[in-house]
Amino acid sequence: MLSVFYFLKKSYFLVGPSFFVYPIAKTKFSSVINYFIKNFYIYLVISKKIYSLLLGHSLLESNFLKKSKINIKRLSYIFLSGIINFTALIFTKYFINNLTFKEIRINYIGNIFNLIIVLLIIIGSIVYLLRYKVIENKFFRSTILLNALALVPLIFILMITENFFTFKNTFIINFPLKKALIGILFALHETFLLLLVFLIWIAFLEEGQIYFLRSLAGLPVAVSLMLIFAYGYTLLDKRENIKEKNYDLGVVFGAAVWNKDKPSPIFEGRILKAKELLESGRINKILLTGGSAPGELSESETALLFLKKRGIDTTKILLENKTKTTIEQVKYLKSEVIPELKIKSLLLISDKFHLSRVMDICSFFNVQADAVYSGHILTEKNSFNYRLKESVALLFFWFFAI
């Protein structure tokens, strides 16, 4: 109990100041946390006095506490490094998306996952100390090293975001190199943290020994379990919630273009659903979204040509041809469409496998919208393939907001 007290005391002096130095301290959320920490510390000080009176001052200065001082200090560093990694990741996620600290919601599903991983590191270190009564040099160094390595990719992401490096619109498989590098760096960050989780818990189970190879072998298992969870999420999640009302705007999310100017069957299904809703009076206007890969007509322009051939009144169609991802399209809705057109009701049109991610992205960016399925039917094989790809994209968004 006394060891736990000293651990919390040391952790307070290490972590507490960071809430004031770091800009997040200005937010309501951090103020609540800091208030809790300060008052909890006061409670602990009172507890210490009670222990001193009941058990005698000599107990606090016992040989056991002197010997455990180094362990408590090391545990404090592990705790602090975990908090730093979590804070740095949250900051990076919101910074690259031009969101303010006031828009951070810890209860968002992706932030909860990030927090769980850090808690596994901290709790694993605590139970390791409780079981073996000592934090060995190798365990401590490995933990601090992996925590430090996890921060390096985040630093490079911020540098890329702030244009320290130039990419000149380079593409890899029709995907911008800049975004690909950011995704790789985020994945590297999470790899270090997951490796650390396995390292700590395997050490706890295996007599305190450090096994890097076993920890590495655990990574595919962790990724597979997360993919299964995400796949089940897209399969079970029912996001169609169209109301019995007229919507100011129906948004068609872009998809693949075939032969440079022909919408793919999936894209065609979304366009036809928008046409049906417009003609039935459920939506007042259509927004077609989606840019283009080099040498192709943009997704939105392809959709516009498709609708023109079917006699749609083009005065009721809006066009956006710069965005290349679903995230960019939702950000465009938030920053330009909704405020400029004073949109009060928004209906998103896409496929079942896609809408789970679309609505989670809207939740992250605080965009209020309803959703409707396009009605396009996929074969079982195609449905599996699309859901699997969407599951990967969903995991990247949950963890990194990309």
Side-chain angles (χ1 to χ4, degrees):
M1 178 66 187
L2 294 173
S3 297
V4 174
F5 164 74
Y6 273 92
F7 159 66
L8 290 171
K9 180 180 177 182
K10 291 287 186 181
S11 298
Y12 170 77
F13 283 117
L14 286 169
V15 179
S18 67
F19 285 99
F20 294 99
V21 175
Y22 201 68
I24 199 171
K26 296 180 181 179
T27 67
K28 182 179 180 181
F29 172 72
S30 62
S31 299
V32 171
I33 288 184
N34 220 24
Y35 175 83
F36 171 79
I37 291 175
K38 288 190 290 185
N39 284 275
F40 191 57
Y41 173 65
I42 292 171
Y43 164 77
L44 291 173
V45 171
I46 295 172
S47 299
K48 175 184 173 182
K49 297 296 183 183
I50 294 173
Y51 274 112
S52 298
L53 289 172
L54 293 177
L55 303 177
H57 181 72
S58 60
L59 182 60
L60 293 175
E61 301 297 331
S62 66
N63 290 332
F64 172 76
L65 286 179
K66 290 178 181 179
K67 291 178 181 179
S68 66
K69 184 177 180 180
I70 185 67
N71 293 321
I72 302 304
K73 186 176 181 180
R74 287 178 172 181
L75 197 56
S76 298
Y77 285 138
I78 294 171
F79 176 83
L80 178 60
S81 61
I83 295 298
I84 289 173
N85 256 305
F86 175 71
T87 306
L89 177 58
I90 296 297
F91 169 78
T92 306
K93 283 170 63 172
Y94 283 79
F95 178 79
I96 65 175
N97 285 296
N98 299 317
L99 295 175
T100 65
F101 288 113
K102 291 182 179 179
E103 294 177 276
I104 293 176
R105 291 184 298 113
I106 298 301
N107 64 344
Y108 175 72
I109 184 170
N111 295 337
I112 292 173
F113 286 146
N114 298 139
L115 183 59
I116 287 173
I117 289 176
V118 172
L119 288 177
L120 285 172
I121 292 170
I122 294 171
I123 294 171
S125 301
I126 293 173
V127 297
Y128 177 92
L129 177 59
L130 292 175
R131 179 174 181 180
Y132 298 110
K133 311 304 180 188
V134 63
I135 294 181
E136 300 286 354
N137 287 337
K138 189 175 182 180
F139 178 92
F140 177 67
R141 290 169 184 168
S142 300
T143 303
I144 296 300
L145 175 63
L146 287 173
N147 263 309
L149 288 174
L151 284 175
V152 175
L154 299 182
I155 294 171
F156 276 101
I157 289 169
L158 294 175
M159 292 173 69
I160 291 172
T161 304
E162 290 296 288
N163 297 317
F164 278 76
F165 311 102
T166 55
F167 298 95
K168 297 181 180 179
N169 295 323
T170 307
F171 285 80
I172 298 179
I173 316 175
N174 293 333
F175 199 80
L177 175 61
K178 182 177 179 179
K179 294 184 182 297
L181 283 176
I182 289 176
I184 291 170
L185 288 168
F186 267 127
L188 190 60
H189 162 84
E190 204 64 30
T191 298
F192 285 129
L193 290 186
L194 287 174
L195 179 61
L196 180 54
V197 169
F198 280 102
L199 196 76
I200 290 172
W201 285 96
I202 289 174
F204 170 73
L205 296 172
E206 296 290 342
E207 302 302 324
Q209 297 300 310
I210 300 297
Y211 294 105
F212 274 100
L213 290 180
R214 288 192 193 181
S215 301
L216 283 170
L219 293 179
V221 176
V223 172
S224 298
L225 290 174
M226 288 188 289
L227 269 176
I228 291 170
F229 178 84
Y231 187 90
Y233 183 86
T234 65
L235 199 62
L236 300 175
D237 187 41
K238 307 299 181 184
R239 290 300 179 103
E240 185 173 54
N241 59 352
I242 185 171
K243 305 291 193 311
E244 290 297 326
K245 66 177 184 181
N246 295 335
Y247 290 86
D248 293 337
L249 187 67
V251 182
V252 177
F253 287 90
V257 174
W258 289 2
N259 300 323
K260 297 185 178 182
D261 62 356
K262 183 175 184 274
S264 62
I266 284 179
F267 195 15
E268 185 176 319
R270 298 176 188 179
I271 301 167
L272 288 175
K273 185 66 177 180
K275 175 178 178 290
E276 172 195 323
L277 292 167
L278 183 67
E279 290 177 338
S280 64
R282 300 300 303 279
I283 57 177
N284 297 330
K285 288 186 177 182
I286 297 174
L287 172 64
L288 303 173
T289 67
S292 62
E296 289 184 352
L297 196 65
S298 73
E299 295 166 0
S300 56
E301 290 168 329
T302 300
L304 179 61
L305 287 176
F306 183 87
L307 288 172
K308 278 182 176 180
K309 291 177 182 178
R310 283 150 184 81
I312 286 290
D313 181 3
T314 55
T315 61
K316 295 186 176 182
I317 297 177
L318 307 175
L319 211 63
E320 181 284 311
N321 58 8
K322 301 296 182 183
T323 62
K324 300 183 184 300
T325 66
T326 303
I327 296 175
E328 290 179 357
Q329 286 154 8
V330 172
K331 288 167 71 173
Y332 173 75
L333 289 174
K334 174 177 177 152
S335 62
E336 297 187 39
V337 175
I338 294 175
E340 290 182 10
L341 300 181
K342 300 187 182 342
I343 300 298
K344 294 182 179 178
S345 55
L346 199 62
L347 184 64
L348 310 179
I349 305 163
S350 193
D351 299 87
K352 285 185 179 182
F353 67 85
H354 186 222
L355 274 180
S356 294
R357 184 162 65 97
V358 170
M359 295 303 285
D360 273 11
I361 293 171
C362 286
S363 174
F364 181 81
F365 286 100
N366 295 312
V367 172
Q368 302 298 317
D370 293 331
V372 63
Y373 301 141
S374 68
H376 179 71
I377 299 174
L378 294 168
T379 64
E380 287 188 13
K381 181 180 179 181
N382 284 340
S383 177
F384 174 80
N385 290 336
Y386 280 116
R387 285 189 186 278
L388 186 60
K389 292 177 183 176
E390 199 62 28
S391 298
V392 174
L394 190 56
L395 284 176
F396 267 86
F397 185 76
W398 278 345
F399 280 94
F400 317 124
I402 60 172

